[in-house]
Amino acid sequence: MLQLPEKVEIIEVGPRDGLQNEKNFVPTDVKKAFISSLKDAGVKEMELTSFVSPKWVPQMGDAAEIVADCLDSNTRNIVLAPNKKGIERVYMTDCKAVAVFVGVSNTFNQRNINKSTAESLAEVLPLIAELKSKDYFVRACISTAFYCPYEGKIDEGEVLALCGEFVEAGVDELSVADTIGMAAPHESYSLFSKLKDAYSDVLLTAHFHDTRKLALSNIFAALQAGVTRFDTSAGGLGGCPFAPGAAGNAATEDVVYMLHRMGIETGVDLEKMLKAIELIQSHISRPIESTYFKLNSVTV
Ligand code: HMG
Ligand code: MG
């Protein structure tokens, strides 16, 4: 029997993952309008921005301004922070949900955060305890959970062990990522089944990049493994600047379309989602490639 839950949660990562790799600086007011239109489309959980070094990722240099204007009580507004300095910057805002991020692959973590995986863990695990004592929602984003652009295939045991460290530290959510979009559905099913069994007390979210056009198949496979939360990006924007060859995230509108066709609720209004993508479209240096957008937007 297919596992088709009544409802799936969509975590919109467009304003963060979607824009971080965009080479033209998107004006802060446009980002704010994009965030507002995504909320208007029914998104209830969203990554707004990241508190990373503006030298490394200039696009996220306006994080404090974004957070100052984009918080609301109807949405879980999440910001990324990779280290102590990032968390200190979060403490200066009213945002109450933080995502830390660490790569299973040591080489990737070094390129992304300038530290080994062990060094990153040593820094962020105590910070997670501190965040939890202050009642923050904490999400751990686990990069290169399937393949690494530098180290190749990643061992499932290593992913489970790293996730275990975060669960023990008290995170509320694990978001497990196919950073370069190389997983195949049987690998998605296998890893997410094991994660679901091992860590049933935390929210488990799947994050697929669509480099090889397998994101929807991987999402369907994860759904069969019992996952009901997916990170997606409006318009399929996205990619990590330090993961060569990574394409955008699974497009929110394509994922929502597939789920709605199977009778699964998401709370997302597809017509309004098109409006959000049309708003950001002219500020993006590459075309919007999602199928739903191509078939339904008046601007194509
Ligand atoms: P570093 O150069 O090693 O940092 O960078 P440092 O600790 O040596 O400090 C150097 C300078 O940076 C200092 O300033 C610090 O204050 C400053 P200076 O004294 O030179 O003026 N600094 C910061 N400034 C602002 N915010 C901070 C911060 N930390 C230090 N948080 C660092 C280390 C982590 C900062 C850098 O490597 C960095 O910013 N990396 C970010 C990488 C990134 O954003 N990647 C994309 C997000 S992850 C992702 O996309 C994957 C995901 O989608 C899942 C998936 O698909 O896999 C989540
Ligand atoms: Mg990503």
Side-chain angles (χ1 to χ4, degrees), residues 16-17 20 51 53 83 89 112 114 143 179 207 209:
R16 195 280 304 172
D17 201 325
Q20 71 184 11
F51 285 93
S53 162
N83 59 6
R89 291 176 67 204
N112 198 33
N114 210 17
S143 287
T179 309
H207 177 118
H209 284 265

Side-chain angles (χ1 to χ4, degrees), residues 228-248:
T228 58
R229 297 172 57 80
F230 297 98
D231 289 350
T232 64
S233 170
L237 305 177
C240 176
F242 309 101

Side-chain angles (χ1 to χ4, degrees), residues 119-131:
E119 285 166 344
S120 273
L121 273 185
E123 181 167 8
V124 298
L125 293 182
L127 293 169
I128 292 170
E130 183 181 281
L131 284 162

